[in-house]
Amino acid sequence: MKKRILLVHSRSGPPLDFALPRLAARGEIHVLAFQPLPAGTEAFCASVIPAHERRLKGDELVDAIVEAAGRVGADALCGLSEYTVVPVALAADRLGLPGPGPGAAASRDKRLMRAAWAKAGVPQPAYRTVASAADLRQAFRELRPPLLLKAAWGAGSTAQLVISSEEQIVPAWEEAKTVMRTADAANVLMLEVPGAEHDFLAEEIIPGTTRSWWEDESGYGDYLSVEGIVIEGVYHPVCITSRLPTIPPFMELCNIAPCELPVRLQRAIESVARASVDALGLRTCGTHTEIKLMEDGGLALIESAARFGGAAILAQIEHVYGCDLVGILADALLGLPADLPDSMFTHHDATGAACTLSLLATNAVGEPWSKDLVWDSRVVDWPSLVTPGTSVETVPALTIPDGTPMPKYEHSGGKMGLGGVLYMTSADSGTLVHDAYAVLNGLEDALARGWHEQTAVPAGSSSQMRRDG
């Protein structure tokens, strides 16, 4: 008889059309769905318990997971979204099942995360917890401005603001709270605990640089992430993914595998990632650790989550290294032997390259599009934007439908301005860096031109829309 896995599904995380087949290869899948499932994915499920009309938080959310697990006779609980990490951990502990453990709270609440890292002595920016404009003013006076104000329970750069002067404090505080309330009400975020929209911290901005890391003009950003997994309290780093520079304030654009840094530098990054994950005291879960690069080989931690990286990061890892992290996690949660890599992969282990690119109405430096455009991947001439041999496709489960107006990008809105995700593959990382910039800087004109060509077709004639390259 197949083991039964209850997947607690919410917004964010890897796309279900990627994750569900890999989970279903390990067991019978039941889904407690706080978001509707993408079309076609229910075929992998033995049952779906709809819960997207229930706006549960705190203990009620954990109770719902425990009740659903009992209903389906779950042998394991799994949550791939950051919004499910804490309630799944609490429910698993209550049921005596493997899970992230008590350390999950410190992987989600950035105030607890910073405190755990301070205790462990791992490198991070100076910070203060903030619960009012007065707290923010005090932090501004005690820390070295400019400061980054961020929501403790936020995600995707939502409600992040840079504060450079005392005159900005009150407006920034009100804007950040409003953005969090709006994002929660619009179901862009899922705030798991009551009152989370008021929980913030302010921190000094890390002086990141690519000097001593990347060669000049490499195109890479001054931060990266380490993807990994913890099994029974033991951390296993899997690989590093490189990044393009963020756009203001700190919106992420792209991550690329493999990382092409020299192996000795990758091992130094691995060591800091290990210390950061160990400090959180996690038990069994995926991990995604973001690290800033500094002068003279210095490193500083940004965040570390008790879940896998979102967007198409898992697809990138599988494409480049042949490593099925979803399957490995499922095996661990079911108490089965996990087929882990012997050591962290580097570019010497890679076959090809892959990247995830944010679909935003901006160019590569964050300048908003000049036109209000409707998204339609079919009208874009993708081969004209990228190098021959590079493929581009949308990630349907994470992207607005064709025919939907592109969201406008606003600095404090973070992921609320995200139209979706593009997935690109090529022979090597350098080509992908070049092509990612080409798409970011050329997509507005390509989309506008594609729509113009479609509407310019004479009446009565037919046309074949260009599809993804």
Side-chain angles (χ1 to χ4, degrees):
M1 181 177 175
K2 272 191 170 184
K3 297 276 191 175
R4 296 175 180 176
I5 301 172
L6 177 66
L7 173 65
V8 183
H9 170 58
S10 180
R11 184 175 292 277
S12 189
L16 281 195
D17 55 2
F18 177 86
L20 276 175
R22 288 153 180 80
L23 289 173
R26 263 65 178 192
E28 182 180 287
I29 306 303
H30 301 262
V31 180
L32 176 59
F34 290 100
Q35 289 285 326
L37 270 63
T41 57
E42 287 197 24
F44 298 101
C45 307
S47 72
V48 177
I49 304 170
H52 47 273
E53 299 297 331
R54 304 171 66 187
R55 301 301 300 274
L56 302 177
K57 297 182 186 293
D59 291 341
E60 289 183 341
L61 179 55
V62 178
D63 291 342
I65 297 171
V66 171
E67 190 276 331
R71 187 192 309 184
V72 304
D75 299 293
L77 295 182
C78 181
L80 298 174
S81 162
E82 59 198 305
Y83 306 121
T84 63
V85 165
V86 173
V88 164
L90 293 171
D93 286 349
R94 194 184 299 181
L95 293 166
L97 296 174
S107 77
R108 183 74 179 97
D109 183 342
K110 298 174 182 63
R111 300 167 301 176
L112 297 178
M113 185 186 302
R114 295 288 184 214
W117 286 345
K119 184 176 180 180
V122 292
Q124 64 173 336
Y127 75 98
R128 296 289 187 273
T129 60
V130 173
S132 66
D135 288 346
L136 183 54
R137 190 177 302 279
Q138 186 66 26
F140 190 87
R141 292 170 178 172
E142 293 178 357
L143 300 175
R144 183 180 59 222
L147 303 184
L148 178 62
L149 176 65
K150 60 169 62 174
W153 296 83
S157 301
T158 304
Q160 288 194 7
L161 289 167
V162 175
I163 301 172
S164 302
S165 67
E166 290 208 38
E167 291 73 21
Q168 295 175 311
I169 289 173
V170 172
W173 176 249
E174 294 302 323
E175 181 179 353
K177 288 193 303 177
T178 298
V179 168
M180 288 300 291
R181 285 194 296 264
T182 301
D184 188 35
N187 217 16
V188 173
L189 299 178
M190 175 181 168
L191 297 180
E192 312 93 299
V193 298
E197 67 272 19
H198 302 295
D199 298 336
F200 285 82
L201 71 162
E203 60 187 36
E204 294 181 357
I205 293 176
I206 303 167
T209 180
T210 57
R211 287 195 298 271
S212 80
W213 295 94
W214 296 108
E215 294 180 1
D216 292 342
E217 309 303 324
S218 68
Y220 288 107
D222 62 2
Y223 75 118
L224 36 69
S225 58
V226 183
E227 321 304 334
I229 188 168
V230 179
I231 298 179
E232 295 183 354
V234 179
Y235 175 53
H236 304 271
V238 172
C239 68
I240 297 172
T241 54
S242 306
R243 303 301 189 101
L244 295 192
T246 59
I247 59 175
F250 290 100
M251 183 67 183
E252 300 176 7
L253 291 180
C254 178
N255 67 297
I256 300 169
C259 175
E260 298 284 352
L261 283 173
V263 172
R264 63 178 179 82
L265 297 180
Q266 293 196 47
R267 296 304 177 200
I269 294 163
E270 176 186 9
S271 178
V272 171
R274 185 181 302 280
S276 71
V277 174
D278 287 348
L280 299 179
L282 302 171
R283 295 299 304 160
T284 298
C285 58
T287 61
H288 174 73
T289 305
E290 296 181 355
I291 300 175
K292 197 83 163 176
L293 307 177
M294 302 172 67
E295 289 273 16
D296 301 322
L299 296 164
L301 289 157
I302 302 172
E303 295 176 9
S304 187
R307 45 87 186 166
F308 293 128
I313 289 178
L314 293 182
Q316 293 172 234
I317 293 171
E318 190 166 306
H319 175 82
V320 172
Y321 300 111
C323 182
D324 174 12
L325 279 177
V326 174
I328 291 172
L329 177 61
D331 286 339
L333 293 172
L334 290 169
L336 302 173
D339 185 19
L340 289 160
D342 293 331
S343 61
M344 187 182 78
F345 295 123
T346 72
H347 52 294
H348 296 305
D349 305 300
T351 303
C355 81
T356 297
L357 190 65
S358 296
L359 177 59
L360 295 163
T362 74
N363 63 12
V365 295
E367 296 170 343
W369 287 0
S370 61
K371 310 176 187 73
D372 293 330
L373 297 175
V374 172
W375 172 248
D376 194 323
S377 62
R378 299 168 298 178
V379 307
V380 178
D381 182 6
W382 295 105
S384 71
L385 292 175
V386 299
T387 304
T390 295
S391 69
V392 186
E393 59 185 279
T394 58
V395 181
L398 302 178
T399 304
I400 58 177
D402 289 338
T404 304
M406 276 291 293
K408 292 185 177 182
Y409 183 68
E410 298 178 357
H411 285 186
S412 63
K415 68 189 301 180
M416 288 196 292
L418 185 67
V421 172
L422 302 178
Y423 179 66
M424 303 169 60
T425 62
S426 193
D428 60 86
S429 296
T431 300
L432 280 183
V433 171
H434 172 274
D435 289 349
Y437 277 106
V439 171
L440 288 166
N441 291 325
L443 186 55
E444 179 185 12
D445 287 343
L447 183 58
R449 184 167 56 251
W451 273 113
H452 175 74
E453 291 174 358
Q454 291 300 311
T455 57
V457 174
S461 66
S462 62
S463 66
Q464 176 64 44
M465 288 187 176
R466 299 184 179 92
R467 297 193 178 272
D468 296 355

